[in-house]
Amino acid sequence: MEQMQSTASHSDNLLFLTDEQLRKGIEAMFFAYRGFTADPDRILEGLDYGRAHHRALHFIRRSPGTTVNNLLAILGVTKQSLNRVLRSLIEDGLVESRIGRNDKRERHLHLTKKGDDLERSLSDAQRARMRSAFRAAGPGAVQGFRLVLEAMMDEDARRQFQSLKETTP
């Protein structure tokens, strides 16, 4: 009962965050994101790829055979922007584009062995950073972090995220 009151009291305090506390949260998110992307950025830099390439590789690996239209929806980028990224990944032998069996207009995307290896090295670096941070913060903080991230998503993004959580590569 005492812990429940403590939790309720703590939650009540969070309802009345000051602008300064919110600013610190925004800044923490900025610096955390910079750290989260630093290791993959170093790997990508030597290959003349950027974060858009990384995101494409990640979600193609996450959903092998995904369509270009589905990837557009997930990434929230323009068709022109995604086509530029995909063209370089395909030309460099990291991604294969296969014609749909039922709809010949569809293009289904798959990582090649080379693409899978690159995506794994990028994600391994991020998983190591996340694992270390989660261990340091503890299980309660991990759950809270996930709740905050989901609460920040707009409805469409949350729906896409939820659909991804239901499948595993």
Side-chain angles (χ1 to χ4, degrees):
M1 177 73 167
E2 189 174 303
Q3 182 178 359
M4 211 162 102
Q5 286 176 338
S6 171
T7 302
S9 171
H10 180 69
S11 294
D12 289 343
N13 289 339
L14 292 178
L15 295 176
F16 302 101
L17 293 171
T18 66
D19 285 348
E20 177 64 15
Q21 290 169 312
L22 292 170
R23 183 187 61 73
K24 292 298 273 181
I26 290 166
E27 290 171 355
M29 185 171 247
F30 171 78
F31 286 108
Y33 181 73
R34 190 170 77 180
F36 180 69
T37 57
D39 298 321
D41 282 352
R42 278 190 284 279
I43 296 167
L44 293 167
E45 186 179 311
L47 302 170
D48 288 330
Y49 294 141
R51 291 179 187 163
H53 295 86
H54 180 194
R55 287 189 292 271
L57 290 169
H58 174 87
F59 286 106
I60 294 169
R61 181 167 189 267
R62 184 76 169 82
S63 301
T66 191
T67 63
V68 172
N69 284 337
N70 187 51
L71 195 56
L72 275 169
I74 289 171
L75 297 177
V77 297
T78 65
K79 197 171 196 172
Q80 182 180 14
S81 174
L82 181 58
N83 282 337
R84 236 186 338 266
V85 167
L86 288 176
R87 186 174 26 254
S88 65
L89 293 173
I90 291 168
E91 286 173 359
D92 293 344
L94 298 168
V95 171
E96 276 184 5
S97 174
R98 301 178 192 160
I99 296 172
R101 289 185 180 156
N102 298 330
D103 185 344
K104 303 294 183 199
R105 297 169 297 175
E106 282 187 341
R107 298 294 178 256
H108 295 267
L109 304 170
H110 299 268
L111 294 185
T112 63
K113 169 79 168 98
K114 183 177 171 184
D116 190 66
D117 289 346
L118 175 58
E119 195 287 326
R120 281 181 193 273
S121 69
L122 297 168
S123 290
D124 283 351
Q126 288 182 317
R127 272 191 295 277
R129 187 177 290 265
M130 293 279 295
R131 185 175 291 112
S132 174
F134 282 172
R135 281 187 179 142
V142 171
Q143 180 62 26
F145 175 71
R146 288 183 182 150
L147 289 172
V148 168
L149 290 177
E150 287 189 46
M152 288 177 63
M153 295 176 195
D154 64 31
E155 191 176 319
D156 287 339
R158 192 176 307 108
R159 192 172 24 258
Q160 289 175 324
F161 175 68
Q162 293 294 337
S163 71
L164 286 174
K165 286 185 2 179
E166 295 168 8
T167 61
T168 54

mmCIF file of all heavy atoms in Angstrom, residues 3 8 13-14 32-33 36 38-39 41 46 54 59 77 98 107-108 113 119 128 131 137 142 154 161-162:
data_model
loop_
_atom_site.group_PDB
_atom_site.id
_atom_site.type_symbol
_atom_site.label_atom_id
_atom_site.label_comp_id
_atom_site.label_asym_id
_atom_site.label_seq_id
_atom_site.Cartn_x
_atom_site.Cartn_y
_atom_site.Cartn_z
ATOM 1 N N GLN A 3 3.934 1.510 -1.133
ATOM 2 C CA GLN A 3 4.579 1.648 -2.431
ATOM 3 C C GLN A 3 3.589 2.189 -3.467
ATOM 4 O O GLN A 3 3.937 3.000 -4.308
ATOM 5 C CB GLN A 3 5.148 0.314 -2.904
ATOM 6 C CG GLN A 3 5.871 0.445 -4.231
ATOM 7 C CD GLN A 3 6.487 -0.863 -4.675
ATOM 8 O OE1 GLN A 3 6.391 -1.864 -3.987
ATOM 9 N NE2 GLN A 3 7.113 -0.849 -5.829
ATOM 10 N N ALA A 8 1.731 6.561 -6.853
ATOM 11 C CA ALA A 8 0.694 7.528 -7.202
ATOM 12 C C ALA A 8 1.208 8.944 -7.006
ATOM 13 O O ALA A 8 0.991 9.815 -7.838
ATOM 14 C CB ALA A 8 -0.561 7.288 -6.372
ATOM 15 N N ASN A 13 3.192 13.954 -9.565
ATOM 16 C CA ASN A 13 4.232 14.952 -9.800
ATOM 17 C C ASN A 13 4.539 15.085 -11.288
ATOM 18 O O ASN A 13 4.869 16.164 -11.764
ATOM 19 C CB ASN A 13 5.511 14.605 -9.040
ATOM 20 C CG ASN A 13 5.348 14.793 -7.551
ATOM 21 O OD1 ASN A 13 4.468 15.510 -7.098
ATOM 22 N ND2 ASN A 13 6.195 14.129 -6.784
ATOM 23 N N LEU A 14 4.451 13.980 -12.009
ATOM 24 C CA LEU A 14 4.760 14.009 -13.436
ATOM 25 C C LEU A 14 3.690 14.741 -14.240
ATOM 26 O O LEU A 14 3.936 15.180 -15.355
ATOM 27 C CB LEU A 14 4.920 12.587 -13.981
ATOM 28 C CG LEU A 14 6.140 11.818 -13.471
ATOM 29 C CD1 LEU A 14 6.152 10.417 -14.044
ATOM 30 C CD2 LEU A 14 7.428 12.535 -13.835
ATOM 31 N N ALA A 32 20.548 11.589 -26.486
ATOM 32 C CA ALA A 32 20.427 10.127 -26.541
ATOM 33 C C ALA A 32 20.346 9.664 -27.994
ATOM 34 O O ALA A 32 20.987 8.681 -28.378
ATOM 35 C CB ALA A 32 19.196 9.661 -25.765
ATOM 36 N N TYR A 33 19.563 10.373 -28.808
ATOM 37 C CA TYR A 33 19.445 10.008 -30.218
ATOM 38 C C TYR A 33 20.796 10.154 -30.911
ATOM 39 O O TYR A 33 21.174 9.315 -31.726
ATOM 40 C CB TYR A 33 18.390 10.873 -30.918
ATOM 41 C CG TYR A 33 18.209 10.506 -32.369
ATOM 42 C CD1 TYR A 33 17.550 9.328 -32.729
ATOM 43 C CD2 TYR A 33 18.699 11.311 -33.381
ATOM 44 C CE1 TYR A 33 17.391 8.975 -34.055
ATOM 45 C CE2 TYR A 33 18.543 10.968 -34.711
ATOM 46 C CZ TYR A 33 17.890 9.801 -35.044
ATOM 47 O OH TYR A 33 17.751 9.447 -36.367
ATOM 48 N N PHE A 36 22.690 7.173 -29.925
ATOM 49 C CA PHE A 36 22.081 5.984 -30.523
ATOM 50 C C PHE A 36 22.465 5.838 -31.994
ATOM 51 O O PHE A 36 22.635 4.721 -32.486
ATOM 52 C CB PHE A 36 20.558 6.087 -30.378
ATOM 53 C CG PHE A 36 19.797 4.935 -30.943
ATOM 54 C CD1 PHE A 36 19.849 3.686 -30.351
ATOM 55 C CD2 PHE A 36 19.000 5.106 -32.064
ATOM 56 C CE1 PHE A 36 19.132 2.613 -30.867
ATOM 57 C CE2 PHE A 36 18.277 4.050 -32.585
ATOM 58 C CZ PHE A 36 18.347 2.803 -31.992
ATOM 59 N N ALA A 38 25.261 7.299 -33.395
ATOM 60 C CA ALA A 38 26.689 7.551 -33.619
ATOM 61 C C ALA A 38 27.430 6.342 -34.180
ATOM 62 O O ALA A 38 28.199 6.476 -35.139
ATOM 63 C CB ALA A 38 27.351 8.008 -32.319
ATOM 64 N N ASP A 39 27.222 5.174 -33.597
ATOM 65 C CA ASP A 39 27.957 3.986 -34.060
ATOM 66 C C ASP A 39 27.571 3.607 -35.491
ATOM 67 O O ASP A 39 28.453 3.420 -36.337
ATOM 68 C CB ASP A 39 27.739 2.820 -33.091
ATOM 69 C CG ASP A 39 28.257 3.136 -31.696
ATOM 70 O OD1 ASP A 39 29.323 3.780 -31.570
ATOM 71 O OD2 ASP A 39 27.589 2.742 -30.714
ATOM 72 N N ASP A 41 26.327 5.578 -37.727
ATOM 73 C CA ASP A 41 26.782 6.659 -38.601
ATOM 74 C C ASP A 41 28.240 6.459 -39.002
ATOM 75 O O ASP A 41 28.613 6.703 -40.154
ATOM 76 C CB ASP A 41 26.628 8.025 -37.921
ATOM 77 C CG ASP A 41 25.199 8.540 -37.926
ATOM 78 O OD1 ASP A 41 24.322 7.921 -38.579
ATOM 79 O OD2 ASP A 41 24.940 9.556 -37.254
ATOM 80 N N GLY A 46 31.743 5.409 -44.034
ATOM 81 C CA GLY A 46 32.751 4.792 -44.898
ATOM 82 C C GLY A 46 32.163 4.174 -46.155
ATOM 83 O O GLY A 46 32.887 3.830 -47.086
ATOM 84 N N HIS A 54 20.098 3.235 -43.633
ATOM 85 C CA HIS A 54 20.016 2.373 -42.455
ATOM 86 C C HIS A 54 18.565 2.022 -42.148
ATOM 87 O O HIS A 54 18.221 0.862 -41.905
ATOM 88 C CB HIS A 54 20.673 3.065 -41.260
ATOM 89 C CG HIS A 54 20.645 2.265 -40.005
ATOM 90 N ND1 HIS A 54 20.919 2.805 -38.785
ATOM 91 C CD2 HIS A 54 20.352 0.964 -39.753
ATOM 92 C CE1 HIS A 54 20.815 1.877 -37.846
ATOM 93 N NE2 HIS A 54 20.458 0.750 -38.417
ATOM 94 N N PHE A 59 14.107 -1.940 -41.880
ATOM 95 C CA PHE A 59 12.722 -2.373 -42.062
ATOM 96 C C PHE A 59 12.563 -3.426 -43.154
ATOM 97 O O PHE A 59 11.627 -4.229 -43.096
ATOM 98 C CB PHE A 59 11.798 -1.172 -42.272
ATOM 99 C CG PHE A 59 11.568 -0.431 -40.979
ATOM 100 C CD1 PHE A 59 12.176 0.789 -40.740
ATOM 101 C CD2 PHE A 59 10.774 -0.980 -39.984
ATOM 102 C CE1 PHE A 59 11.985 1.453 -39.537
ATOM 103 C CE2 PHE A 59 10.581 -0.329 -38.772
ATOM 104 C CZ PHE A 59 11.184 0.890 -38.552
ATOM 105 N N VAL A 77 8.559 8.936 -45.856
ATOM 106 C CA VAL A 77 9.370 9.767 -46.750
ATOM 107 C C VAL A 77 8.685 9.852 -48.110
ATOM 108 O O VAL A 77 7.735 9.120 -48.386
ATOM 109 C CB VAL A 77 10.804 9.199 -46.913
ATOM 110 C CG1 VAL A 77 11.530 9.195 -45.584
ATOM 111 C CG2 VAL A 77 10.783 7.801 -47.514
ATOM 112 N N ARG A 98 12.040 -7.668 -56.175
ATOM 113 C CA ARG A 98 11.399 -8.736 -56.932
ATOM 114 C C ARG A 98 9.985 -8.333 -57.320
ATOM 115 O O ARG A 98 9.261 -7.739 -56.517
ATOM 116 C CB ARG A 98 11.353 -10.023 -56.100
ATOM 117 C CG ARG A 98 12.724 -10.510 -55.673
ATOM 118 C CD ARG A 98 12.614 -11.754 -54.828
ATOM 119 N NE ARG A 98 13.887 -12.067 -54.184
ATOM 120 C CZ ARG A 98 14.021 -12.841 -53.130
ATOM 121 N NH1 ARG A 98 12.949 -13.405 -52.580
ATOM 122 N NH2 ARG A 98 15.205 -13.076 -52.611
ATOM 123 N N ARG A 107 6.656 -4.212 -56.116
ATOM 124 C CA ARG A 107 8.062 -4.579 -55.964
ATOM 125 C C ARG A 107 8.257 -5.013 -54.522
ATOM 126 O O ARG A 107 7.977 -4.248 -53.595
ATOM 127 C CB ARG A 107 8.980 -3.400 -56.283
ATOM 128 C CG ARG A 107 8.886 -2.889 -57.700
ATOM 129 C CD ARG A 107 9.386 -3.935 -58.700
ATOM 130 N NE ARG A 107 9.268 -3.487 -60.069
ATOM 131 C CZ ARG A 107 8.327 -3.899 -60.910
ATOM 132 N NH1 ARG A 107 7.403 -4.740 -60.511
ATOM 133 N NH2 ARG A 107 8.300 -3.467 -62.147
ATOM 134 N N HIS A 108 8.723 -6.245 -54.346
ATOM 135 C CA HIS A 108 8.968 -6.785 -53.010
ATOM 136 C C HIS A 108 10.460 -6.722 -52.744
ATOM 137 O O HIS A 108 11.272 -7.142 -53.568
ATOM 138 C CB HIS A 108 8.446 -8.223 -52.925
ATOM 139 C CG HIS A 108 6.954 -8.298 -53.064
ATOM 140 N ND1 HIS A 108 6.116 -8.289 -51.977
ATOM 141 C CD2 HIS A 108 6.163 -8.335 -54.162
ATOM 142 C CE1 HIS A 108 4.866 -8.346 -52.394
ATOM 143 N NE2 HIS A 108 4.859 -8.364 -53.719
ATOM 144 N N LYS A 113 22.660 -11.254 -48.966
ATOM 145 C CA LYS A 113 23.580 -11.647 -47.882
ATOM 146 C C LYS A 113 24.407 -10.431 -47.446
ATOM 147 O O LYS A 113 24.568 -10.161 -46.256
ATOM 148 C CB LYS A 113 24.483 -12.787 -48.368
ATOM 149 C CG LYS A 113 25.652 -13.112 -47.459
ATOM 150 C CD LYS A 113 25.236 -13.946 -46.276
ATOM 151 C CE LYS A 113 26.428 -14.512 -45.544
ATOM 152 N NZ LYS A 113 26.809 -13.736 -44.368
ATOM 153 N N GLU A 119 23.244 -4.696 -42.318
ATOM 154 C CA GLU A 119 22.178 -4.355 -41.383
ATOM 155 C C GLU A 119 22.465 -4.923 -40.003
ATOM 156 O O GLU A 119 22.268 -4.254 -39.001
ATOM 157 C CB GLU A 119 20.826 -4.865 -41.906
ATOM 158 C CG GLU A 119 19.625 -4.262 -41.189
ATOM 159 C CD GLU A 119 19.407 -4.786 -39.784
ATOM 160 O OE1 GLU A 119 19.693 -5.975 -39.524
ATOM 161 O OE2 GLU A 119 18.943 -4.007 -38.919
ATOM 162 N N ALA A 128 23.664 -3.113 -28.628
ATOM 163 C CA ALA A 128 24.629 -3.075 -27.524
ATOM 164 C C ALA A 128 24.423 -1.821 -26.671
ATOM 165 O O ALA A 128 24.425 -1.887 -25.435
ATOM 166 C CB ALA A 128 26.060 -3.121 -28.065
ATOM 167 N N ARG A 131 21.027 -2.233 -24.825
ATOM 168 C CA ARG A 131 21.135 -3.241 -23.766
ATOM 169 C C ARG A 131 21.848 -2.665 -22.554
ATOM 170 O O ARG A 131 21.410 -2.839 -21.414
ATOM 171 C CB ARG A 131 21.876 -4.472 -24.295
ATOM 172 C CG ARG A 131 21.947 -5.624 -23.315
ATOM 173 C CD ARG A 131 22.590 -6.873 -23.929
ATOM 174 N NE ARG A 131 21.708 -7.447 -24.960
ATOM 175 C CZ ARG A 131 21.982 -7.454 -26.276
ATOM 176 N NH1 ARG A 131 23.107 -6.934 -26.731
ATOM 177 N NH2 ARG A 131 21.144 -7.993 -27.126
ATOM 178 N N ALA A 137 19.425 1.201 -16.286
ATOM 179 C CA ALA A 137 18.203 1.859 -15.822
ATOM 180 C C ALA A 137 17.289 0.933 -15.031
ATOM 181 O O ALA A 137 16.558 1.386 -14.153
ATOM 182 C CB ALA A 137 17.444 2.431 -17.016
ATOM 183 N N VAL A 142 12.759 0.741 -18.067
ATOM 184 C CA VAL A 142 12.606 0.257 -19.443
ATOM 185 C C VAL A 142 11.138 0.299 -19.835
ATOM 186 O O VAL A 142 10.771 0.800 -20.906
ATOM 187 C CB VAL A 142 13.186 -1.173 -19.606
ATOM 188 C CG1 VAL A 142 12.825 -1.760 -20.963
ATOM 189 C CG2 VAL A 142 14.693 -1.157 -19.404
ATOM 190 N N ASP A 154 2.161 9.544 -32.995
ATOM 191 C CA ASP A 154 0.800 9.855 -33.425
ATOM 192 C C ASP A 154 0.083 8.538 -33.704
ATOM 193 O O ASP A 154 0.699 7.468 -33.702
ATOM 194 C CB ASP A 154 0.776 10.816 -34.612
ATOM 195 C CG ASP A 154 1.394 10.248 -35.879
ATOM 196 O OD1 ASP A 154 1.335 9.018 -36.101
ATOM 197 O OD2 ASP A 154 1.933 11.048 -36.666
ATOM 198 N N PHE A 161 3.697 0.739 -35.495
ATOM 199 C CA PHE A 161 4.587 0.153 -34.497
ATOM 200 C C PHE A 161 3.970 -1.110 -33.908
ATOM 201 O O PHE A 161 4.628 -2.132 -33.768
ATOM 202 C CB PHE A 161 4.890 1.182 -33.397
ATOM 203 C CG PHE A 161 5.709 0.634 -32.273
ATOM 204 C CD1 PHE A 161 7.028 0.281 -32.463
ATOM 205 C CD2 PHE A 161 5.152 0.481 -31.006
ATOM 206 C CE1 PHE A 161 7.785 -0.231 -31.413
ATOM 207 C CE2 PHE A 161 5.908 -0.020 -29.955
ATOM 208 C CZ PHE A 161 7.225 -0.381 -30.162
ATOM 209 N N GLN A 162 2.694 -1.036 -33.544
ATOM 210 C CA GLN A 162 2.005 -2.188 -32.984
ATOM 211 C C GLN A 162 2.005 -3.358 -33.960
ATOM 212 O O GLN A 162 2.201 -4.501 -33.556
ATOM 213 C CB GLN A 162 0.556 -1.840 -32.592
ATOM 214 C CG GLN A 162 0.457 -0.870 -31.441
ATOM 215 C CD GLN A 162 0.968 -1.430 -30.134
ATOM 216 O OE1 GLN A 162 1.022 -2.618 -29.923
ATOM 217 N NE2 GLN A 162 1.364 -0.546 -29.237
#
